[in-house]
Amino acid sequence: MAKYKLIAWYLILLVGPLQASCPFFLTISLTGKTLHDACLEVNWGPDCAAPPEWIGIYNRDPTISNFQPEMRIDGIKNRTGKITTHIKLGKLHYPGGWNRQDLNESPATVYPKGKCLPHYVASYNGTELLTVDCLKIQPNWLAHLKGVAQIPIKRLFLPGTHASGAFVTNYSKTKSMLVKDYLVAQHFDVWSQLVFGIRYLDLSVGYKHSDSETMDNGADNFWIANENMFITPLTAILRDVRQFVQRSGELIVLDFSSFPIGFYKHPEVYSLLYRLIHKELGDVAYQRNVSNNEQCADRSYQELHEEKRHVLLLFPTQELPHPENESPILCPPWKRFSTSYLNLTQTVNYMRLLFSKKPDSPVQDEGWIFYGVKSMEETLNSHKLQTAKERAAFINPKINQWLKGPWGMNANVVAMDYFSNTNIVDVAREINIYKGFLSSNEKFFNIELLSLWH
Ligand SMILES: *[C@@H]1O[C@H](CO)[C@@H](O)[C@H](O)[C@H]1NC(C)=O
Ligand SMILES: *[C@@H]1O[C@H](CO)[C@@H](O)[C@H](O)[C@H]1NC(C)=O
Ligand SMILES: *[C@@H]1O[C@H](CO)[C@@H](O)[C@H](O)[C@H]1NC(C)=O
Ligand SMILES: *[C@@H]1O[C@H](CO)[C@@H](O)[C@H](O)[C@H]1NC(C)=O
Ligand SMILES: *[C@@H]1O[C@H](CO)[C@@H](O)[C@H](O)[C@H]1NC(C)=O
């Protein structure tokens, strides 16, 4: 009896708010030129059955006192929607020792449920507060989720970024419009992506051949590349990842997914890259058992944590000579699926195929990555060449919403360009909480509940 009560309680807690009422959340728009200029967006739905009378945006926690809102919005009618406000994000400062340069504030504060930045949204009927949410950092959401530590990584929902290193830190220094509008794919640098809760990074690496590559084993010659351009140096990103897992104890999947410049017919460049990765991340990378071809996605957070090795490195080992190709710190790449060349109808159908995990689905019980992105080519049919931001502004909210339903239960890695116009980290967190609950109550959890979800 008690167990059924627990289940009922859980359904009310988790499924209830998602379906019955009308949750609001804040995201960061893709309209501004730089991150400073980006505006806050208010989102609601899907299927907001009982809209509130009004919502307010605040720069302080509205549950503490009756502050005046910075902005008030009345008359929300649609069941799903998004409004871009005029409120600029401004300069971001992370609390609790989570700025990259906060080296001395050790240890950083643990925020298992995230920590609000000073941007809140609350919904009301009259003076009755209905919901409140905030724009938040989530530097330790995964490590502290109940019941999740023992679940194999292939069954967790990990929010990720596509072209994770394709960001610029200084827009005025970057002259090329091509780079700024078409090749940059993220608002945030890798450090900030991780602080916001991203747990999968996709790195596309290029190598600048030069005459003086002996100096430091060529470390400075490795760059993040997108299409055929060098965007930003690689080493700083590897150091951010290392810093971050050491400060947070979180799990990060680091995927070396493509090598568009300088690698072709240069096996020695792959070896140089391997040595750089080994030097920067060798002691935080999970070591797999190569002799029984262990699949890294079968491991759990707990198992990585016990060895204090929190980074899973995915790398195409067949490009390396022996014995580097048998290095225990490299995991074979996972299957990848991308929507980049699909239109919207095709995208929905493709997602249905992948996320249903039916017997004929190309995804089975394994680690896999879904890139919810749109390529430049796909938008050529429309009259104007869309920028990377315009493409992400279109596709991200849709994918975000579709994953809130039953498909999210079968997601593993979901990676996007410019993830900041979604609440994908919250979605992943909620679904993982639910999975943790299911897995720790497996014995009496049966078809009944699952059928509720489908
Ligand atoms: C808020 O008030 C509206 C009518 O003004 C009503 O339709 C809605 O159900 C109310 N919402 C809640 C959660 O009470
Ligand atoms: C509500 O929906 C209508 C029709 O789809 C649309 O024109 C309008 O912009 C939407 N309003 C908001 C605030 O999303
Ligand atoms: C960005 O680059 C410009 C031009 O090189 C420089 O003047 C400015 O100080 C830089 N800004 C930052 C924040 O580094
Ligand atoms: C690796 O796998 C082999 C073959 O299954 C096994 O004999 C060995 O004990 C494993 N090594 C470790 C460290 O688990
Ligand atoms: C998407 O592409 C398919 C196949 O090319 C085509 O039949 C369909 O009409 C397209 N749908 C839209 C909405 O453009």
Side-chain angles (χ1 to χ4, degrees):
M1 277 312 276
K3 281 173 179 169
Y4 281 107
K5 229 184 227 168
L6 191 64
I7 295 168
W9 168 83
Y10 203 80
L11 278 175
I12 290 164
L13 191 81
L14 193 91
V15 184
L18 291 182
Q19 290 176 353
S21 81
C22 186
F24 283 79
F25 59 96
L26 290 176
T27 52
I28 301 167
S29 81
L30 305 183
T31 47
K33 236 191 167 87
T34 67
L35 193 53
H36 274 129
D37 299 332
C39 292
L40 291 176
E41 301 171 321
V42 191
N43 307 261
W44 64 96
D47 292 330
C48 167
E53 283 169 11
W54 65 282
I55 60 170
I57 319 275
Y58 299 83
N59 56 17
R60 285 175 291 186
D61 184 350
T63 60
I64 292 176
S65 183
N66 267 337
F67 300 120
Q68 278 303 308
E70 280 183 281
M71 183 177 173
R72 178 185 163 125
I73 300 168
D74 288 276
I76 286 171
K77 298 254 154 43
N78 296 359
R79 295 165 73 92
T80 302
K82 181 168 211 144
I83 293 175
T84 304
T85 72
H86 60 264
I87 301 168
K88 294 217 158 120
L89 188 63
K91 188 156 172 54
L92 282 175
H93 176 81
Y94 306 138
W98 289 104
N99 297 299
R100 182 198 277 109
Q101 67 274 17
D102 293 344
L103 292 171
N104 299 323
E105 280 183 47
S106 58
T109 312
V110 174
Y111 296 126
K113 293 179 180 165
K115 172 73 179 171
C116 291
L117 297 173
H119 298 293
Y120 295 80
V121 60
S123 64
Y124 300 86
N125 263 3
T127 55
E128 183 198 357
L129 178 66
L130 302 174
T131 66
V132 61
D133 199 0
C134 61
L135 191 70
K136 49 190 154 324
I137 57 168
Q138 314 217 51
N140 342 69
W141 67 270
L142 182 58
H144 296 274
L145 276 194
K146 248 182 136 179
V148 163
Q150 285 84 19
I151 299 178
I153 290 162
K154 65 187 175 186
R155 304 215 180 104
L156 296 180
F157 183 162
L158 300 178
T161 48
H162 168 255
S164 312
F167 55 85
V168 295
T169 44
N170 187 338
Y171 266 80
S172 43
K173 212 160 148 186
T174 307
K175 294 280 184 286
S176 161
M177 286 309 284
L178 174 72
V179 170
K180 283 194 277 201
D181 285 349
Y182 295 96
L183 300 185
V184 168
Q186 301 296 335
H187 257 328
F188 291 104
D189 63 18
V190 160
W191 176 267
S192 295
Q193 291 174 33
L194 299 175
V195 169
F196 272 94
I198 291 298
R199 294 295 170 261
Y200 163 92
L201 300 171
D202 160 62
L203 300 184
S204 172
V205 183
Y207 185 78
K208 268 186 193 167
H209 286 273
S210 71
D211 296 334
S212 57
E213 38 191 74
T214 45
M215 316 271 289
D216 55 351
N217 294 322
D220 293 343
N221 296 354
F222 287 104
W223 286 70
I224 294 299
N226 202 2
E227 305 284 338
N228 57 351
M229 303 277 283
F230 294 111
I231 312 280
T232 189
L234 174 64
T235 309
I237 290 176
L238 303 182
R239 291 185 180 159
D240 273 358
V241 171
R242 177 198 179 80
Q243 254 306 316
F244 184 79
V245 292
Q246 287 180 333
R247 220 181 282 182
S248 68
E250 290 279 289
L251 148 76
I252 308 294
V253 179
L254 188 59
D255 187 0
F256 291 84
S257 65
S258 62
F259 307 87
I261 316 172
F263 283 80
Y264 182 63
K265 292 195 169 159
H266 282 286
E268 81 285 2
V269 174
Y270 281 101
S271 286
L272 273 180
L273 176 58
Y274 167 72
R275 267 173 262 160
L276 176 64
I277 295 169
H278 189 272
K279 173 166 164 261
E280 298 294 339
L281 296 170
D283 58 342
V284 294
Y286 177 72
Q287 295 186 304
R288 72 180 188 121
N289 188 340
V290 178
S291 58
N292 69 1
N293 192 24
E294 178 189 328
Q295 297 304 304
C296 297
D298 290 343
R299 299 280 67 81
S300 65
Y301 173 75
Q302 179 84 38
E303 289 166 313
L304 271 61
H305 187 63
E306 275 163 10
E307 310 205 350
K308 294 208 164 33
R309 291 171 171 275
H310 291 96
V311 179
L312 283 191
L313 291 174
L314 311 188
F315 194 96
T317 49
Q318 72 278 6
E319 306 292 351
L320 291 169
H322 192 79
E324 289 166 349
N325 62 353
E326 292 190 349
S327 167
I329 65 165
L330 302 182
C331 303
W334 299 351
K335 279 190 191 161
R336 301 190 181 98
F337 302 90
S338 170
T339 59
S340 53
Y341 297 101
L342 305 181
N343 67 28
L344 204 55
T345 319
Q346 293 167 318
T347 298
V348 178
N349 290 334
Y350 195 46
M351 285 183 73
R352 185 173 295 120
L353 175 72
L354 296 173
F355 288 89
S356 67
K357 281 208 178 168
K358 296 225 172 72
D360 62 339
S361 166
V363 182
Q364 293 300 321
D365 193 25
E366 60 195 328
W368 65 291
I369 300 144
F370 175 74
Y371 295 116
V373 297
K374 234 155 111 62
S375 74
M376 220 180 330
E377 288 85 348
E378 209 288 304
T379 65
L380 276 178
N381 315 348
S382 50
H383 300 289
K384 182 176 160 284
L385 198 57
Q386 288 185 318
T387 65
K389 280 182 184 167
E390 287 167 342
R391 284 177 268 136
F394 173 77
I395 192 79
N396 290 1
K398 294 187 167 54
I399 287 175
N400 192 43
Q401 223 172 76
W402 293 329
L403 291 171
K404 284 178 187 170
W407 287 353
M409 285 296 283
N410 286 334
N412 184 199
V413 173
V414 173
M416 295 173 171
D417 290 332
Y418 289 108
F419 73 98
S420 62
N421 68 343
T422 70
N423 69 341
I424 185 87
V425 177
D426 280 326
V427 172
R429 186 171 174 275
E430 275 168 22
I431 284 173
N432 287 326
I433 289 174
Y434 184 70
K435 288 183 179 199
F437 180 78
L438 284 183
S439 103
S440 45
N441 295 278
E442 232 154 13
K443 283 183 212 78
F444 57 86
F445 246 99
N446 49 34
I447 324 297
E448 278 171 56
L449 183 58
L450 291 175
S451 63
L452 274 176
W453 269 80
H454 288 274

